[in-house]
Amino acid sequence: MEKKPFVTLEKIQEIVKEFPTPFHIYDEKGIRENARKLKQAFAWNKGYKEFFAVKATPNPYLMAILKEEGIGADCSSYTELLLSDKVGLKGHEIMFSSNVTPAEDFQLASKLDALINFDDITHIDFYEKLAPFKETMCCRYNPGGEFRIHNQIMDNPQDAKYGLTRPQMTEAFLKLKAKGVKHMGIHSFLASNTVTNDYYPTLAKLLFQTAVELTKETGMHISFINLSGGVGVPYRLDQEPNDIMAIGEGVRQAFEEILVPAGMGDVAIYTELGRYMLAPYGHLIAQAIHEKHTYKEYIGLDACAANLMRPAMYGAYHHITVLGKEDEPCEYTYDITGGLCENNDKFAIDRKLPRIEIGDYLVLHDTGAHGFSMGYNYNGKLRSAELLLKEDGEVKLIRRAETPEDYFATLDFTHLP
């Protein structure tokens, strides 16, 4: 697999005249094409809807693009709910899936008429003191044990803090039914960033069978089943990308096999994709500003882990392109680092790349999700700008870079001794 940047050296040289590095830049054309392909993959399901995982890239300009493509928002906090409301998403265009949920979050979700997904059975009584139950509510299911695909362990749900046990699901459905809820949804998230076409179909079979059982046990109408996220992207060159059309077809076959014979062919399928929706359509652009020759060869960038936390936090791989040197051989071995006072502030370790010179611009690929959003201000580092490469080639600033004034804005110096 090959990764080609969606910007050229010439384009970046033009952009930096107005917007200095580092910055995240997003590709509108790629985002729209991907959204349309996802909807095509699930077009067989009349009620299908994607709720973009706002946590992945909480920028209203990007959310507005997705809204134009018929996509809603998956929110997990008060602020994400506010952001979705400001974008113009309303009612059941918003899915609220939270855990350890504060009272004010539930109250705002209720006020916005969002679809509320209970993460724990105790949350039902907690919620009742705060807001009225809706006609349609949802519960998050955790089947426990190990989640396997073809005997490969994908994750261990029993170790996750999310969701209700199977007996609790029955109890919760009956409890909500007694409180006047007429329609239920089932939600589950069992594995993160999978690169296999079998994840969604395998999860779907589990949830579809559970839905049939719950309907028989409780008499409750199940209106939707939310497969949540978990469909990933190939960060590494040796990974094959997911085939969303094959994934959609796999879910359809499970739907026809399990739900339709049970008289549940009206169930809507929901997804909550973040990484799949945006990761490949974002780059972190940084400039080489230092080189160091000690026990290893280092290239220091004007970006750091505050701009892209995943490599420092998880040891995650992000492919790197040196702009203008795409066709040069990768004959040099570098650690690519940032300037934080932490030794894990490295974007790449022992990475084979073309010869890098001071002033070169580097593209860190697949930063469109869980990139900017995980930023922080350690060492007084400031969050970068976010830019949008529009379909017509224009570049739009969609979030300005932070300034020292922003960093000090929450401090009051007037009462210092």
Side-chain angles (χ1 to χ4, degrees):
M1 180 184 166
E2 188 178 3
K3 286 185 183 287
K4 291 184 177 180
F6 56 77
V7 286
T8 62
L9 174 60
E10 292 72 26
K11 187 68 175 178
I12 292 301
Q13 289 172 331
E14 174 190 327
I15 292 169
V16 297
K17 292 175 184 176
E18 185 175 2
F19 307 112
T21 55
F23 53 76
H24 287 268
I25 186 167
Y26 307 99
D27 176 22
E28 179 181 7
K29 183 173 185 288
I31 292 168
R32 289 190 185 276
E33 288 176 352
N34 191 48
R36 291 168 189 172
K37 191 169 184 181
L38 172 67
K39 290 177 68 178
Q40 182 186 351
F42 287 91
W44 54 267
N45 183 260
K46 185 179 178 182
Y48 173 74
K49 192 167 185 67
E50 156 66 5
F51 296 83
F52 170 65
V54 176
K55 65 181 75 66
T57 322
N59 187 292
Y61 291 89
L62 302 177
M63 291 170 66
I65 288 171
L66 294 173
K67 179 176 181 286
E68 288 176 3
E69 298 295 336
I71 288 171
D74 156 40
C75 299
S76 59
S77 70
Y78 188 93
T79 313
E80 290 179 357
L81 287 167
L82 286 179
L83 184 56
S84 300
D85 184 46
K86 286 182 181 294
V87 171
L89 293 165
K90 302 295 181 186
H92 288 190
E93 293 178 313
I94 303 171
M95 186 91 195
F96 182 61
S97 295
S98 175
N99 67 94
V100 196
T101 309
E104 57 268 26
D105 292 34
F106 272 138
Q107 287 169 329
L108 180 57
S110 176
K111 179 182 175 184
L112 296 177
D113 197 30
L115 287 165
I116 293 173
N117 181 26
F118 290 116
D119 181 68
D120 187 68
I121 194 163
T122 64
H123 289 185
I124 296 172
D125 290 339
F126 181 75
Y127 175 88
E128 187 172 24
K129 299 170 186 173
L130 306 170
F133 289 100
K134 309 288 183 174
E135 278 202 359
T136 303
M137 307 295 287
C138 182
C139 287
R140 178 185 277 180
Y141 175 44
N142 183 333
E146 296 174 338
F147 181 68
R148 294 171 176 262
I149 298 178
H150 306 312
N151 290 324
Q152 179 186 356
I153 298 174
M154 304 298 291
D155 216 325
N156 293 288
Q158 65 188 5
D159 295 332
K161 66 176 182 176
Y162 309 110
L164 287 74
T165 66
R166 179 62 184 82
Q168 287 175 338
M169 288 291 286
T170 302
E171 184 183 348
F173 271 45
L174 291 171
K175 196 166 193 172
L176 290 165
K177 183 180 183 180
K179 295 180 186 299
V181 176
K182 293 183 170 58
H183 311 286
M184 286 299 301
I186 300 176
H187 175 286
S188 194
F189 176 77
L190 298 187
S192 179
N193 192 35
T194 64
V195 188
T196 166
N197 294 337
D198 293 327
Y199 171 62
Y200 257 5
T202 304
L203 173 62
K205 286 181 182 178
L206 171 66
L207 295 185
F208 294 167
Q209 288 164 351
T210 303
V212 172
E213 293 168 7
L214 284 168
T215 298
K216 289 177 180 175
E217 291 169 9
T218 68
M220 281 291 274
H221 174 249
I222 294 175
S223 60
F224 67 86
I225 293 174
N226 190 332
L227 302 177
S228 188
V231 176
V233 298
Y235 287 100
R236 296 180 177 274
L237 296 182
D238 60 357
Q239 293 177 306
E240 285 295 317
N242 284 309
D243 180 346
I244 200 63
M245 299 306 292
I247 291 170
E249 173 60 18
V251 175
R252 186 197 67 79
Q253 290 178 10
F255 189 94
E256 296 287 341
E257 175 189 329
I258 300 167
L259 290 182
V260 172
M264 298 173 66
D266 63 330
V267 170
I269 302 301
Y270 294 166
T271 55
E272 292 176 348
L273 298 169
R275 198 185 314 264
Y276 177 83
M277 295 305 298
L278 284 191
Y281 311 106
H283 295 332
L284 173 59
I285 308 295
Q287 188 173 34
I289 59 173
H290 285 288
E291 58 183 348
K292 184 173 184 175
H293 316 286
T294 54
Y295 303 104
K296 302 181 79 172
E297 292 295 304
Y298 295 95
I299 295 293
L301 305 184
D302 56 2
C304 65
N307 307 111
L308 180 62
M309 193 179 183
R310 296 184 73 253
M313 187 177 184
Y314 305 126
Y317 179 94
H318 282 267
H319 191 64
I320 295 174
T321 297
V322 184
L323 286 175
K325 300 181 177 180
E326 291 88 342
D327 298 324
E328 292 187 15
C330 297
E331 296 178 339
Y332 296 82
T333 303
Y334 297 109
D335 280 15
I336 307 297
T337 76
L340 289 186
C341 299
E342 292 287 344
N343 196 44
N344 67 351
D345 182 20
K346 296 178 179 180
F347 295 111
I349 298 173
D350 295 329
R351 186 74 60 87
K352 289 283 189 182
L353 291 165
R355 172 80 172 107
I356 299 175
E357 298 165 283
I358 301 301
D360 281 347
Y361 291 103
L362 278 65
V363 171
L364 283 83
H365 290 257
D366 301 314
T367 69
H370 308 287
F372 179 95
S373 65
M374 294 177 74
Y376 56 107
N377 288 125
Y378 181 60
N379 276 179
K381 294 293 186 179
L382 303 173
R383 292 178 179 87
S384 70
E386 290 182 292
L387 309 178
L388 178 66
L389 176 63
K390 300 185 73 174
E391 287 185 290
D392 62 5
E394 178 194 350
V395 173
K396 180 182 180 68
L397 179 68
I398 59 173
R399 190 194 301 267
R400 67 166 175 82
E402 286 183 337
T403 65
E405 289 73 24
D406 296 316
Y407 183 80
F408 294 127
T410 56
L411 298 172
D412 182 358
F413 292 95
T414 60
H415 300 296
L416 288 174

